[in-house]
Amino acid sequence: MQAATLSGRTALVTGSVQGIGHAIALALAGAGARVAVHGPADDAQAAQAVTDMRAAGAEDARAFVSDLRDAAAIEAMMDAVEGWGGADIVINNAGMQRTLRFAEIDAGTWNDILAVNLSAPFHIMQRALPGMAARGYGRVINIASVHGIVASVSKAPYVSSKFGLVGLSRVAALEYADAGSRDAGGVTVNCICPGWTETAIIEPQIRERAAQHAGDRDAAIASLLAEKQPSRRMSRPEEIGSLALWLAQPIAHNVTGAAIPVDGGWTAQ
């Protein structure tokens, strides 16, 4: 267990019953934060996520299952979090992706991806940031993507949402840059932009590529990495968690408005 550097802080992590969000939530829990986990989970999955947080060192943990496509559901979730003391740290991690050529995208897919990946972070940030500013400390860490920096084919809604999330984060960072102080920790808004990372969201792309390699999953992954990521190795979710934990601490008071790639050199090309 890490030193309780976030003891007394409350963190809301969307999309945290699995993958990157779960790893970030565990990192914050290990630093002593109270953690609000969130995701499309059944009762057993939600209970397990809460148990995981407490086992990692969280002072307390609660689960929320709000549909992030629904602004009213987001408002209800934020009301509940404020009733719990308010979010000092917000990690907007929940995301949707579908790979479709431009001409194949239907309105429902477009609307759902933009709602979860961009509109939901906006609504959550709009509710959380004023309280952070009033307390003099707050962290918003939006999990964007390498696709918030560069584009790829067959990902128009996803790329649009992630470019938008980077821009939204920069505006919020500017508006709240002078809140708080160095000693209090200030209020910062940043994006982490992962490249290929070992999560469920990339499985459809792996399966599609595997079909081109006689069903060989390892060959499919190697092909995807060789195409984009010069390091030719994936990141692990807990590596993203460690970066988020650093950004959440007072030492990062002057890191704001950044979009930090974790992409093995993808965006350096």
Side-chain angles (χ1 to χ4, degrees), residues 17 54 118 134 145 156 183 191 197 208 218-219 231 244 267:
V17 297
R54 290 177 174 159
L118 181 57
S145 168
D183 291 340
C191 289
T197 307
E208 182 180 346
D218 289 341
S231 68
T267 55

Side-chain angles (χ1 to χ4, degrees), residues 241-267:
S242 294
L243 175 56
L245 174 59
W246 185 84
L247 288 170
Q249 298 188 52
I251 195 172
H253 68 93
N254 250 346
V255 181
T256 195
I260 303 170
V262 185
D263 66 1
W266 185 332
T267 55

Side-chain angles (χ1 to χ4, degrees), residues 20-31:
I20 289 174
H22 193 68
I24 293 172
L26 286 173
L28 300 176

Side-chain angles (χ1 to χ4, degrees), residues 8 14 55 88 115 122 139 152 157 159 175 202 206 222 251:
T14 68
D88 302 296
F122 163 75
R139 296 290 185 268
S152 292
V159 168
E175 292 192 9
I202 67 169
I206 293 173
I251 195 172

